């Protein structure tokens, strides 16, 4: 898989810190509602959206794109490299979801944003989907020109507060209209003066449109009451008209224009719930084939389905899973095999999956096994019992691919994230910590398999560990974890969510 990036992959990228939004000060306590729970670039990469556990969606926009675009045009025949890092700025935010209560099931529904997906833009407005556990919303964000009243502009030379009109002209020399109002050439045509001189002249207010604009977020549609279990995925179709939503047992197909009904296209719920052996963990449409989608399961398998085969896709067209090594099965085997996230490459031929221990790259034309595997948490294998007891083993880490398909990335503990080269022959494996401190910028590892954190400099590890230490006595910090990250669609730029902070890196 080179995707045009094989030549660049020969030399590992030099990642640099770009900017941070919402970084904590020393000793500052993070509120639960401020923790970022979803992150997504739009198709152009000029906009970035994050969702948090408080149900808010925050939008950022690229500020240097126009300048860099001009440089690309001027130097289109040269090997152009950006002289400065990409810059984003805060654009707006809105409350997407509120906490709810299901009275029929006596169940609290959190406002936490599980996923955000951008839709096609139209007439300069931005559109996106956001979802919590039960309800999906379709949002339109657009700029609106501000209208305001002009000043009253009372003529201070002829009026003073509520006092009499100041005028030395003899009363007898003033021309009056039929209604008794004085018509003096020195007065504006819309002034009204009382001959008795008791009130100041008045001027009617005028509504004007100023050059200022404000951003207005409006919920266009609400897609609700279609899932009995928690929604874990939403994904737009390449046709621009439909999208899917997936929970533990079902996948529904929606039309963006119709919120009153959806079609159930996948149903893995058994007749007897005691026979349930696996659940759906993630689902995504193919980037170019509108009839194809993939979904992963808690057993570590990925199923490719074709919507043209039948209305209810009970049968998959392809099954991707890796066979277990003989004698390797244990109590934790199924838990760590559960896939937490899948992503299609931009070219549509490859898929990336993340389970607790590894990243796997799949070729959709080869269902015999992954074409590449990358060890992310192999150093944690001796501590699976501790991870199970503190529930860390159930953490759901996301993954992403670069636009050219040459690299993949995922997160880890202690706010670390890892970048691997996936071009043929690449040994690139870089570990970075999401931190503003440039001393914690990055560490290059010489080979593809993950190295123990004990072999990395101490500066890459922050915080005390409450769960033990590795063989070198260095602590693992399971309380800080980098679950959510996104790769810019056209550049080597990463957005990483560490707690309530959004870190940007570029190479």
């Amino acid at each position: 898989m080179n995707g045009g990036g094989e030549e660049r992959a020969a030399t590992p990228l030099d990642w640099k810190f770009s900017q941070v939004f919402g970084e904590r000060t020393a000793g500052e306590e993070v509120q639960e509602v401020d923790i970022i729970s979803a992150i997504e670039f739009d198709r152009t990469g000029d906009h970035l959206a994050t969702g948090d556990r408080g149900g808010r969606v925050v939008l950022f926009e690229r500020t240097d794109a126009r300048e860099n675009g001009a440089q690309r045009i001027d130097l289109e025949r040269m090997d152009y490299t950006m002289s400065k890092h990409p810059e984003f700025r805060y654009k707006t935010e809105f409350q997407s979801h509120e906490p709810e209560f299901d009275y029929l099931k006596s169940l609290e529904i959190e406002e936490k944003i599980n996923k955000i997906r951008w839709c096609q833009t139209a007439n300069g407005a931005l559109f996106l989907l956001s979802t919590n556990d039960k309800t999906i919303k379709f949002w339109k964000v657009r700029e609106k020109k501000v209208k305001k009243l002009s000043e009253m502009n009372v003529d201070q030379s002829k009026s003073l507060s509520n006092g009499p009109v100041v005028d030395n002209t003899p009363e007898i020399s003033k021309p009056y209209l039929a209604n008794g109002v004085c018509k003096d050439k020195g007065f504006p045509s819309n002034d009204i003066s009382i001959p008795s001189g008791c009130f100041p002249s008045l001027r009617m207010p005028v509504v004007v449109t100023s050059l200022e604009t404000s951003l207005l977020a409006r919920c266009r549609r609400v897609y609700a009451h279609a899932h009995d279990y928690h929604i874990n995925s939403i994904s737009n179709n390449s046709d621009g008209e439909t999208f899917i939503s997936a929970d533990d047992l079902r996948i529904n197909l929606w039309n963006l224009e119709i919120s009153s009904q959806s079609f159930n296209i996948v149903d893995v719920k058994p007749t007897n719930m005691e026979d349930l052996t696996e659940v759906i963990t993630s689902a995504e449409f193919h980037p170019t084939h509108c009839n194809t989608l993939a979904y992963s399961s808690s057993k570590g398998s990925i199923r490719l389905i074709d919507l043209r085969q039948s209305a209810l896709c009970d049968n998959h067209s392809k099954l991707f899973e890796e066979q277990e090594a003989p004698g390797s099965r244990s109590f934790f085997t199924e838990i760590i095999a559960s896939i937490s996230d899948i992503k299609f490459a931009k070219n549509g031929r490859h898929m990336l999956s993340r389970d607790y221990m590894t990243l796997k790259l799949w070729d959709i034309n080869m269902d015999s096994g992954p074409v590449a595997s990358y060890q992310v948490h192999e150093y944690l294998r001796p501590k699976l019992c501790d991870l199970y007891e503190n529930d860390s083993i159930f953490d759901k880490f996301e993954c992403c691919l670069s636009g050219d398909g040459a690299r993949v990335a995922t997160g880890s503990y202690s706010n670390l994230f890892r970048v691997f080269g996936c071009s043929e022959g690449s040994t690139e494996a870089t570990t970075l910590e999401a931190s503003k401190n440039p001393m914690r910028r990055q560490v290059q590892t010489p080979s593809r398999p993950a190295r123990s954190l004990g072999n990395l400099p101490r500066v890459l590890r922050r915080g005390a560990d409450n769960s033990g230490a590795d063989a070198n006595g260095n602590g693992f910090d399971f309380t800080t974890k980098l679950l959510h990250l996104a790769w810019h669609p056209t550049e080597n730029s990463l957005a990483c969510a560490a707690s309530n902070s959004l870190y940007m890196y570029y190479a």
Side-chain angles (χ1 to χ4, degrees):
M1 178 183 182
N2 51 40
E6 183 172 350
E7 184 177 346
R8 289 190 295 275
T11 303
L13 293 178
D14 180 25
W15 290 93
K16 299 180 178 67
F17 169 79
S18 175
Q19 58 190 138
V20 60
F21 297 94
E23 187 176 45
R24 284 177 291 171
T25 57
E28 181 184 355
E29 186 176 350
V30 176
Q31 300 297 318
E32 181 78 10
V33 295
D34 294 330
I35 295 177
I36 297 173
S37 56
I39 184 170
E40 184 83 2
F41 279 105
D42 72 348
R43 185 175 299 179
T44 64
D46 291 337
H47 293 92
L48 176 68
T50 64
D52 61 28
R53 295 186 183 181
R56 290 165 300 192
V57 172
V58 183
L59 304 184
F60 302 88
E61 69 176 351
R62 185 84 173 262
T63 58
D64 66 316
R66 183 176 298 176
E67 178 183 344
N68 285 335
Q71 287 178 304
R72 286 192 186 95
I73 294 172
D74 294 339
L75 304 174
E76 59 183 356
R77 296 186 179 182
M78 300 175 64
D79 184 14
Y80 173 66
T81 303
M82 282 190 297
S83 59
K84 65 175 186 175
H85 64 77
E87 293 181 0
F88 283 80
R89 70 172 177 88
Y90 168 85
K91 185 177 180 72
T92 189
E93 68 180 78
F94 56 90
Q95 189 70 32
S96 175
H97 288 72
E98 300 281 357
E100 303 173 45
F101 189 81
D102 187 336
Y103 292 97
L104 293 177
K105 298 181 180 179
S106 296
L107 184 68
E108 290 185 4
I109 303 173
E110 293 183 350
E111 66 272 36
K112 171 193 168 190
I113 305 297
N114 290 342
K115 294 289 180 181
I116 295 174
R117 290 292 181 266
W118 290 90
C119 304
Q120 294 179 354
T121 59
N123 299 324
L126 303 174
F127 296 88
L128 51 87
L129 291 165
S130 62
T131 184
N132 65 352
D133 287 339
K134 296 292 184 181
T135 306
I136 307 161
K137 295 186 178 182
F138 182 52
W139 291 91
K140 177 182 180 180
V141 181
R142 65 184 179 91
E143 290 186 347
K144 185 179 181 182
K145 292 183 178 180
V146 177
K147 292 185 178 181
K148 63 180 182 179
L149 294 178
S150 66
E151 296 180 5
M152 301 297 286
N153 292 330
V154 175
D155 193 336
Q156 296 296 329
S157 66
K158 297 180 180 178
S159 61
L160 181 63
S161 185
N162 288 326
V165 176
V166 180
D167 195 346
N168 296 324
T169 306
E171 195 76 21
I172 194 169
S173 65
K174 292 184 178 180
Y176 288 92
L177 299 177
N179 59 2
V181 176
C182 173
K183 183 180 179 183
D184 193 317
K185 294 182 179 179
F187 285 77
S189 60
N190 64 338
D191 281 359
I192 302 175
S193 300
I194 307 301
S196 62
C198 295
F199 298 98
S201 59
L202 299 178
R203 186 169 186 172
M204 298 302 293
V206 179
V207 177
V208 297
T209 302
S210 70
L211 298 177
E212 299 177 11
T213 59
S214 64
L215 285 161
L216 178 67
R218 177 167 163 251
C219 183
R220 295 289 303 275
R221 290 177 192 87
V222 178
Y223 313 88
H225 312 300
H227 288 277
D228 292 330
Y229 304 93
H230 291 176
I231 298 172
N232 55 49
S233 303
I234 52 176
S235 179
N236 303 88
N237 197 347
S238 58
D239 63 9
E241 299 178 357
T242 57
F243 70 94
I244 55 170
S245 58
D247 64 23
D248 291 344
L249 298 180
R250 291 187 175 97
I251 299 177
N252 293 333
L253 178 68
W254 300 83
N255 188 302
L256 279 168
E257 301 293 328
I258 303 171
S259 60
S260 58
Q261 64 179 353
S262 63
F263 297 95
N264 179 219
I265 55 175
V266 175
D267 189 349
V268 299
K269 184 178 181 179
T271 306
N272 185 353
M273 285 296 284
E274 292 182 358
D275 298 330
L276 182 67
T277 59
E278 63 180 330
V279 296
I280 298 169
T281 57
S282 184
E284 182 165 291
F285 260 119
H286 190 280
T288 56
H289 298 164
C290 61
N291 58 285
T292 304
L293 62 93
Y295 70 91
S296 59
S297 81
S298 57
K299 278 194 169 181
S301 60
I302 302 174
R303 289 173 173 84
L304 203 66
I305 61 175
D306 191 334
L307 298 176
R308 298 171 298 184
Q309 291 182 346
S310 62
L312 183 62
C313 303
D314 293 323
N315 299 316
H316 52 267
S317 57
K318 284 187 180 178
L319 175 67
F320 303 90
E321 58 184 357
E322 191 171 25
Q323 300 300 322
E324 293 180 20
S328 63
R329 190 168 183 82
S330 69
F331 172 78
F332 304 108
T333 299
E334 283 197 13
I335 299 176
I336 62 176
S338 177
I339 295 175
S340 55
D341 190 27
I342 58 171
K343 290 285 191 332
F344 273 101
K346 195 174 182 179
N347 61 11
R349 179 176 172 179
H350 294 85
M351 288 185 297
L352 183 66
S353 67
R354 171 69 203 267
D355 56 46
Y356 189 73
M357 304 297 284
T358 61
L359 268 176
K360 293 186 176 73
L361 190 66
W362 308 81
D363 187 326
I364 64 172
N365 296 325
M366 295 171 50
D367 53 7
S368 57
V371 293
S373 294
Y374 310 93
Q375 300 299 331
V376 181
H377 280 165
E378 189 61 31
Y379 63 88
L380 293 177
R381 194 172 292 276
K383 298 186 68 61
L384 292 179
C385 286
D386 296 332
L387 293 164
Y388 179 78
E389 289 179 3
N390 64 19
D391 287 340
S392 294
I393 201 170
F394 301 107
D395 288 333
K396 301 184 187 307
F397 292 92
E398 294 180 357
C399 58
C400 58
L401 302 95
S402 61
D404 60 5
R407 291 171 181 84
V408 296
T410 191
S412 182
Y413 294 105
S414 298
N415 287 345
L416 298 176
F417 63 99
R418 308 209 66 203
V419 180
F420 299 94
C422 53
S423 301
E424 186 176 353
S426 173
T427 58
E428 180 177 358
T430 305
T431 301
L432 305 95
E433 182 186 12
S435 168
K436 190 176 181 180
N437 188 337
M439 295 300 292
R440 297 192 181 110
R441 191 174 63 183
Q442 70 174 47
V443 168
Q444 288 289 346
T445 55
S447 59
R448 177 176 293 173
R451 293 175 62 185
S452 166
L453 280 185
N455 296 329
L456 301 178
R458 284 183 178 272
V459 74
L460 279 171
R461 292 181 297 277
R462 291 190 300 179
D465 173 37
N466 300 321
S467 306
D470 63 12
N472 298 327
N474 299 315
F476 299 127
D477 185 4
F478 298 128
T479 62
T480 57
K481 59 195 76 172
L482 199 150
L483 301 176
H484 312 286
L485 75 171
W487 202 302
H488 191 283
T490 59
E491 299 174 3
N492 287 320
S493 177
L494 276 167
C496 310
S499 186
N500 68 318
S501 303
L502 177 65
Y503 291 93
M504 310 287 289
Y505 282 81
Y506 76 104

